[in-house]
């Protein structure tokens, strides 16, 4: 009590929340990395027999996804899905029972770890917002044992608003500004109005959480020091030419249509499953069959010696992003001859198809796979898969520009080669598509944080704003779409 009275209840609460979320996030990331490594080890160890390789490649994710779906179904069905639509509803003042309990927390953490460890095209941002909110709710209960302001419901809602920022903050864990994008993204996604007095709470807790998370990564020798997650080395003296701005605008508009199509496609899949009574009855009886089937199809199509060779099937989401943010031009007039020897970039090279074919196949396949995978009943988000598809689309435009202008751009007597990855097209594609799906502008800030690169702020903002303008006129955001599907008691915007 003496400590609380001297330091202040809020500060202690926010430090505990940040610390707890950093530990949970780090432990989950470590386990997910181990799971993905185990799959690669199994696949690599069976090189002599393609059939056994296929069995290992397919069985591993099917088992993990089926376990995740079964575990969540038995322990707490509320843990299924993103969690952001429910948080939106709770922050509007609606009480959703069982959504912020310890049972749901355990189900969400275990289910999400298995789902992401399977290598399926699923994200973690939405679930992390839900996990952080559950941490805050449980901490509020714990703090209320000592009496004081945490017995007040309105104070608990304020802490939930701060927790949403922490969830985004320790999800990407970029060093400093992570708290900025955490707070901004959580405000955009969860609130129609935002009490400014909660701003510092979100900032402080998110900064503390991101800092602890990165310290743990350095301590575990995952990182040498605290840096951006997808470090890029774009040139700063001449990052882009004004002649390239129309290309960024085109990416923004195309991403807007793409984002709206993703939301529409995702909603149609769910509605189709619910309206077909025979399918619905069958799936209600055999709840684990649908996730197992979807995983089987996706794993079969990404099998590297099979169709996966046309879409870099062996790469994880993180490795895919590292490759897509690569500085070098992959295609010289469409011929893949500038590939270096790094394993990650090599995965995009195919002897009988140029890099444009690989990128187009990757975008088209991942688009419907991600829309389908996010409908399975496991804890999962859609932000990261959409982000990867956007990065691939940006890369495709960048490579096309480099092939179209092989001599580069002539400015003030110098010639500047177009570098598709070191070129903001990749980044703005990633930001614009994910912004279009979630109807947020803060995805631009998230991209700056992830890449440690702020030189392309103008083209990225142009692309994101145009993508948002197009997507908002066509479809609701993915989260609002889920709210409508689930018929949550949600007050519409004025």
């Amino acid at each position: 009590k003496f400590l609380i009275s001297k330091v202040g209840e809020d500060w202690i609460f926010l430090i505990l929340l940040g610390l707890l979320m950093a530990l949970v996030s780090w432990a989950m990331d470590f386990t997910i990395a181990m799971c993905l490594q185990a799959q690669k080890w199994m696949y690599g160890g069976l090189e002599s027999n393609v059939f056994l390789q296929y069995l290992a490649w397919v069985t591993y994710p099917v088992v993990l996804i089926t376990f995740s779906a079964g575990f969540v179904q038995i322990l707490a069905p509320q843990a299924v899905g993103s969690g952001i639509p429910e948080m939106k509803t709770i922050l509007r003042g609606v009480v959703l029972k069982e959504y912020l309990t310890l049972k749901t927390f355990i189900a969400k953490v275990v289910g999400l770890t298995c789902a992401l460890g399977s290598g399926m095209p699923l994200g973690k941002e939405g679930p992390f917002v839900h996990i952080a909110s559950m941490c805050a709710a449980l901490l509020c209960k714990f703090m209320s044992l000592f009496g004081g302001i945490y017995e007040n419901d309105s104070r608990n809602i304020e802490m939930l608003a701060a927790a949403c920022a922490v969830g985004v903050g320790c999800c990407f864990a970029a060093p400093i500004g992570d708290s900025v994008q955490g707070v901004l993204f959580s405000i955009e996604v969860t609130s129609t109005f935002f009490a400014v007095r909660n701003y510092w709470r979100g900032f402080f807790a998110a900064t503390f959480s991101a800092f602890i998370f990165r310290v743990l990564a350095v301590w575990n020798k995952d990182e040498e020091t605290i840096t951006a997650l997808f470090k890029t080395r774009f040139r700063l003296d001449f990052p882009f030419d004004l002649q390239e701005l129309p290309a960024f605008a085109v990416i923004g508009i195309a991403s807007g249509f793409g984002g709206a199509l993703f939301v529409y496609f995702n909603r149609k899949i769910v509605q189709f499953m619910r309206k077909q009574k025979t399918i619905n009855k069958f799936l209600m009886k055999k709840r684990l069959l649908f996730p197992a089937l979807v995983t089987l199809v996706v794993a079969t199509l990404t099998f590297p010696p099979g169709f996966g060779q046309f879409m870099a099937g062996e790469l994880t989401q993180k490795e895919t992003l590292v490759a897509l943010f690569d500085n070098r031009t992959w295609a010289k007039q469409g011929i893949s001859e500038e590939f270096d020897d790094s394993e990650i970039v090599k995965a995009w090279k195919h002897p009988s198809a140029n890099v444009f074919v690989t990128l187009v196949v990757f975008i088209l396949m991942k688009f419907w796979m991600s829309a389908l995978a996010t409908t399975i009943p496991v804890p999962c988000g859609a932000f990261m898969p959409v982000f990867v598809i956007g990065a691939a689309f940006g890369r495709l435009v960048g490579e096309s520009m480099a092939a179209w202008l092989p001599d580069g751009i002539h400015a003030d007597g110098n010639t500047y080669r177009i570098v598709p990855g070191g070129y903001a097209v990749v980044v703005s594609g990633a930001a614009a598509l994910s912004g279009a799906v979630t109807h947020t502008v803060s995805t631009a800030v998230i991209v700056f944080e992830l890449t440690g690169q702020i030189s392309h702020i103008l083209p990225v903002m142009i692309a994101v704003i145009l993508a948002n303008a197009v997507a908002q006129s066509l479809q609701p955001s993915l989260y609002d779409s889920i709210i409508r599907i689930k018929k949550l008691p949600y007050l519409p915007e004025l």
Side-chain angles (χ1 to χ4, degrees):
K1 288 235 173 173
F2 173 75
L3 185 69
I4 288 172
S5 63
K6 285 291 175 195
V7 180
E9 290 187 20
D10 276 5
W11 292 95
I12 289 177
F13 181 91
L14 295 170
I15 287 171
L16 284 174
L17 178 63
L19 185 63
L20 195 61
M21 271 312 291
L23 290 168
V24 169
S25 178
W26 181 78
M28 282 177 71
D29 273 14
F30 182 76
T31 315
I32 290 161
M34 295 296 281
C35 288
L36 292 169
Q37 221 172 335
Q39 186 184 18
K40 290 220 165 169
W41 175 77
M42 279 164 63
Y43 168 76
L46 297 165
E47 267 180 319
S48 53
N49 190 324
V50 176
F51 180 68
L52 284 178
Q53 267 193 320
Y54 171 72
L55 274 182
W57 182 265
V58 168
T59 311
Y60 189 81
V62 168
V63 168
L64 277 176
I65 288 284
T66 310
F67 171 76
S68 174
F71 185 80
V72 167
Q73 195 58 48
I74 292 163
L75 192 62
Q78 294 84 359
V80 167
S82 162
I84 287 183
E86 288 80 12
M87 285 316 301
K88 256 187 133 164
T89 311
I90 289 168
L91 287 172
R92 293 276 173 106
V94 178
V95 177
L96 293 179
K97 284 186 177 174
E98 300 294 318
Y99 265 98
L100 299 173
T101 58
L102 183 62
K103 240 181 12 174
T104 314
F105 175 76
I106 294 165
K108 195 90 175 182
V109 169
V110 175
L112 182 64
T113 306
C114 292
L116 295 179
S118 70
M120 285 283 281
L122 302 168
K124 64 175 184 177
E125 188 161 20
F128 261 70
V129 169
H130 191 192
I131 289 169
S133 303
M134 288 186 280
C135 273
L138 294 167
L139 265 177
C140 281
K141 274 189 183 171
F142 173 71
M143 298 285 270
S144 67
L145 297 175
F146 302 100
I149 50 176
Y150 290 99
E151 292 168 341
N152 184 335
D153 282 347
S154 65
R155 172 52 62 100
N156 294 355
I157 292 283
E158 286 182 8
M159 289 307 164
L160 286 181
C164 290
V166 178
V168 182
C170 66
C171 178
F172 290 126
I176 301 302
D178 213 39
S179 49
V180 180
Q181 52 96 342
V183 174
L184 292 178
F185 188 82
S186 66
I187 292 171
E188 281 195 285
V189 163
T190 55
S191 312
T192 306
F193 63 91
F194 185 80
V196 181
R197 65 178 177 277
N198 296 334
Y199 200 65
W200 72 268
R201 291 190 177 100
F203 246 113
F204 175 70
T207 306
F208 187 75
S209 182
F211 172 70
I212 297 290
F213 182 89
R214 299 301 278 188
V215 167
L216 283 169
V218 173
W219 171 74
N220 195 44
K221 299 192 171 49
D222 296 338
E223 306 277 351
E224 288 173 23
T225 181
I226 295 180
T227 58
L229 208 55
F230 300 102
K231 192 78 181 132
T232 51
R233 296 177 186 82
F234 305 162
R235 59 165 185 252
L236 297 171
D237 56 336
F238 191 84
F240 61 92
D241 190 66
L242 286 177
Q243 297 167 37
E244 295 171 76
L245 285 180
F248 299 123
V250 167
I251 284 179
I253 293 164
S255 294
F257 284 111
L261 184 64
F262 185 90
V263 175
Y264 176 77
F265 192 45
N266 180 278
R267 189 168 67 248
K268 283 295 165 195
I269 292 170
V270 178
Q271 285 175 345
F272 173 76
M273 307 279 284
R274 289 189 174 184
K275 280 177 184 170
Q276 299 292 329
K277 286 186 180 170
T278 45
I279 298 176
N280 200 3
K281 268 186 190 172
F282 181 68
L283 290 178
M284 289 300 275
K285 282 180 188 169
K286 308 260 189 303
R287 286 176 185 273
L288 303 183
L289 189 66
F290 176 60
L293 277 175
V294 171
T295 312
L296 180 68
V297 170
V298 171
T300 303
L301 287 170
T302 55
F303 181 52
F307 192 68
Q309 63 190 311
F310 294 102
M311 49 184 284
E314 67 199 74
L315 300 184
T316 62
Q317 280 190 27
K318 191 172 180 180
E319 289 169 344
T320 307
L321 277 178
V322 169
L324 291 170
F325 288 145
D326 186 37
N327 281 29
R328 286 151 295 208
T329 312
W330 289 357
K332 216 174 189 174
Q333 298 291 18
I335 308 154
S336 328
E337 56 182 44
E338 280 207 353
F339 274 94
D340 64 346
D341 292 329
S342 85
E343 283 300 313
I344 290 177
V345 179
K346 232 191 244 177
W348 294 90
K349 188 176 185 179
H350 191 273
S352 57
N354 67 29
V355 96
F356 298 107
V357 174
T358 319
L359 281 167
V360 168
V361 170
F362 177 87
I363 293 163
L364 294 176
M365 296 300 286
K366 285 286 177 185
F367 192 87
W368 71 261
M369 280 180 185
S370 302
L372 180 62
T374 46
T375 63
I376 60 179
V378 294
C380 64
F383 185 89
M384 214 57 195
V386 168
F387 191 81
V388 173
I389 297 163
F393 174 61
R395 181 92 210 184
L396 179 66
V397 176
E399 294 288 350
S400 308
M401 291 281 286
W404 182 38
L405 300 167
D407 300 329
I409 288 171
H410 303 282
D412 51 83
N414 295 322
T415 301
Y416 297 98
R417 295 279 305 272
I418 287 179
V419 192
Y423 180 67
V425 178
V426 178
V427 188
S428 57
L433 191 62
S434 42
V437 169
T438 57
H439 287 193
T440 56
V441 181
S442 57
T443 48
V445 186
I446 291 176
V447 167
F448 302 142
E449 293 305 328
L450 286 180
T451 56
Q453 196 78 24
I454 206 162
S455 57
H456 295 93
I457 190 161
L458 180 65
V460 172
M461 288 307 295
I462 287 171
V464 170
I465 288 167
L466 282 172
N468 258 301
V470 173
Q472 286 185 21
S473 63
L474 295 172
Q475 286 288 324
S477 77
L478 185 64
Y479 307 124
D480 287 345
S481 173
I482 294 168
I483 284 172
R484 290 179 191 180
I485 291 167
K486 288 188 170 181
K487 295 189 168 64
L488 291 171
Y490 173 76
L491 297 170
E493 289 173 22
L494 297 170

